Amino acid sequence: MKVLVTGSNGLLGQKLLYKLKEDKSIDLIATSLGKNRVTNTKGYSYIKLDITNKKKLTEVIGSNNPDVVINTAAMTNVDICEDKKQDCESLNVTAVSYLADACLENDVHLIHISTDFIFDGEDGPYKEDDKPNPLSYYGLSKLKSEEILYKHDVRWTILRTIIVFGVAENLSKSNIVLWAKAALEKGEQLNIIDDQYRAPTLAEDLADACILAAKKKAYGIYNTSGKDIMSIYEMVERIGKHYGLDITNLNKISTSKLNQKAKRPPRTGFILDKANSILDYNPHSFEESLSIITRQLN
Ligand SMILES: NC(=O)c1ccc[n+]([C@@H]2O[C@H](COP(=O)([O-])OP(=O)(O)OC[C@H]3O[C@@H](n4cnc5c(N)ncnc54)[C@H](OP(=O)(O)O)[C@@H]3O)[C@@H](O)[C@H]2O)c1
């Protein structure tokens, strides 16, 4: 099987790259914006690819003829999406239509990643067929990207996920576990919201979901987050306790105190039954994930 990954410099992209390059039955093409920032360059080829460039994207997919494209490239900073709506639209929505067209033309299965932010968080945890109602432009852009696929003739899988965390090199942004661990180690006063609930996802688990979907050529929407739902405050508290750090400087605050640009859904989390039974998706618990991170940091 030949697999092409977009956004391979990102967190999910790097996890896919490391897992897929070890599988000798897979021919891997990694692509991302700019040069390859992954230091281990063996076992795959790399092509610089901006997926908003329709001509280049169509040419790369046409000339490499993969069986599966996994699209991990996205504008993922929710507040920046609120400020830069056009850039967000171009990468999170329009580029997905370019990908779908190029994949259809070349008979390629397209795997795309979406988010819990397509929901308003009034009645999570959510099933795949619950009604979306995004509160932010990021959430809306991801919903629009899903809607492109619903109507398209390309073979597609949508994997929805929630707060992805993990260790990778030269990332352009941090993630909750690495950030909280570093801040607690410094003994900083931390004001953490306790009125938003999420199911954080180990990046390796999400990469496994992508690979399972690719191998099964699964069709449709799947919830593929972590399995433990908790408030953001509890998340940081559990990170601190797991790593044996002092959590006396942790303070609970409410979302209204934060003044964030984009609105966030209060309570998400996913029901994972469909992915469990059809994809054999079986994510780690939050504490198991934190132990995996310890081993990687060591
Ligand atoms: N992270 C989360 O908490 C979360 C939650 C729910 C859903 N998701 C979804 O999961 C997917 C993967 O997220 P992630 O955390 O791995 O994201 P990420 O770390 O931000 O990676 C995205 C990658 O895409 C690259 N990229 C940016 N613009 C591009 C372009 N025009 N063409 C090609 N590549 C481009 C970025 O390059 P640079 O590194 O140079 O910026 C980055 O390496 C995304 O679809 C995201 O929306 C993520």
Side-chain angles (χ1 to χ4, degrees):
M1 182 163 70
K2 196 186 243 192
V3 179
L4 185 146
V5 175
T6 69
S8 62
N9 282 327
L11 179 54
L12 173 61
Q14 288 195 32
K15 298 299 177 187
L16 279 167
L17 196 152
Y18 276 100
K19 283 178 180 278
L20 290 170
K21 80 191 194 65
E22 295 310 318
D23 186 336
K24 298 297 166 232
S25 69
I26 287 173
D27 189 359
L28 175 63
I29 304 157
T31 74
S32 208
L33 191 69
K35 66 178 179 34
N36 187 6
R37 299 203 302 268
V38 175
T39 45
N40 188 335
T41 56
K42 292 207 173 68
Y44 63 96
S45 54
Y46 181 84
I47 301 169
K48 188 172 144 180
L49 175 63
D50 174 351
I51 65 164
T52 65
N53 181 335
K54 182 173 189 183
K55 188 164 174 282
K56 178 83 197 259
L57 174 70
T58 309
E59 185 188 296
V60 166
I61 292 181
S63 60
N64 287 281
N65 206 18
D67 300 292
V68 178
V69 166
I70 307 177
N71 179 35
T72 82
M75 189 184 269
T76 54
N77 184 309
V78 181
D79 294 315
I80 293 180
C81 286
E82 210 65 32
D83 262 347
K84 300 192 166 179
K85 294 191 173 68
Q86 270 187 0
D87 293 347
C88 172
E89 178 90 12
S90 151
L91 179 53
N92 290 4
V93 186
T94 314
V96 177
S97 73
Y98 299 159
L99 275 167
D101 291 349
C103 286
L104 177 64
E105 208 169 297
N106 295 280
D107 194 24
V108 181
H109 186 110
L110 175 60
I111 297 177
H112 178 59
I113 318 298
S114 188
T115 169
D116 56 332
F117 276 36
I118 65 165
F119 295 108
D120 59 20
E122 291 303 322
D123 48 6
Y126 290 99
K127 296 192 300 298
E128 283 80 354
D129 54 2
D130 282 332
K131 197 173 175 297
N133 182 30
L135 303 177
S136 62
Y137 200 77
Y138 170 73
L140 178 66
S141 73
K142 284 292 186 173
L143 178 59
K144 284 178 162 182
S145 73
E146 288 198 9
E147 287 168 347
I148 288 168
L149 298 184
Y150 304 161
K151 288 184 276 188
H152 210 282
D153 288 329
V154 71
R155 284 177 290 123
W156 56 267
T157 316
I158 292 170
L159 302 178
R160 291 182 183 150
T161 196
I162 304 177
I163 305 193
V164 186
F165 62 89
V167 180
E169 56 181 333
N170 301 315
L171 289 176
S172 51
K173 66 178 180 37
S174 187
N175 54 72
I176 182 99
V177 171
L178 301 185
W179 169 81
K181 184 172 181 294
L184 290 167
E185 279 166 352
K186 282 188 212 140
E188 288 171 4
Q189 282 286 336
L190 296 179
N191 298 328
I192 308 290
I193 42 178
D194 71 342
D195 53 359
Q196 287 185 31
Y197 291 77
R198 302 283 183 265
T201 310
L202 180 69
E204 277 82 356
D205 284 336
L206 181 58
D208 284 340
C210 294
I211 295 167
L212 288 166
K215 289 192 168 165
K216 290 175 189 272
K217 300 263 171 74
Y219 179 83
I221 305 172
Y222 296 86
N223 287 341
T224 51
S225 65
K227 59 182 169 192
D228 298 330
I229 301 174
M230 63 199 87
S231 73
I232 309 284
Y233 180 88
E234 188 189 341
M235 216 177 284
V236 174
E237 190 180 49
R238 282 166 72 165
I239 293 165
K241 284 186 179 158
H242 186 86
Y243 295 124
L245 300 167
D246 180 8
I247 51 169
T248 48
N249 288 336
L250 269 186
N251 311 307
K252 285 184 185 170
I253 58 161
S254 68
T255 300
S256 59
K257 291 263 160 21
L258 266 189
N259 241 338
Q260 287 167 309
K261 195 99 197 179
K263 268 185 102 175
R264 268 81 169 164
R267 187 181 286 270
T268 67
F270 284 148
I271 292 161
L272 302 176
D273 296 353
K274 184 181 174 192
N276 287 156
S277 67
I278 300 180
L279 298 182
D280 292 325
Y281 175 67
N282 187 17
H284 294 88
S285 71
F286 190 52
E287 271 70 21
E288 284 167 349
S289 304
L290 296 178
S291 296
I292 290 172
I293 286 189
T294 306
R295 289 199 290 277
Q296 293 172 343
L297 290 173
N298 288 340

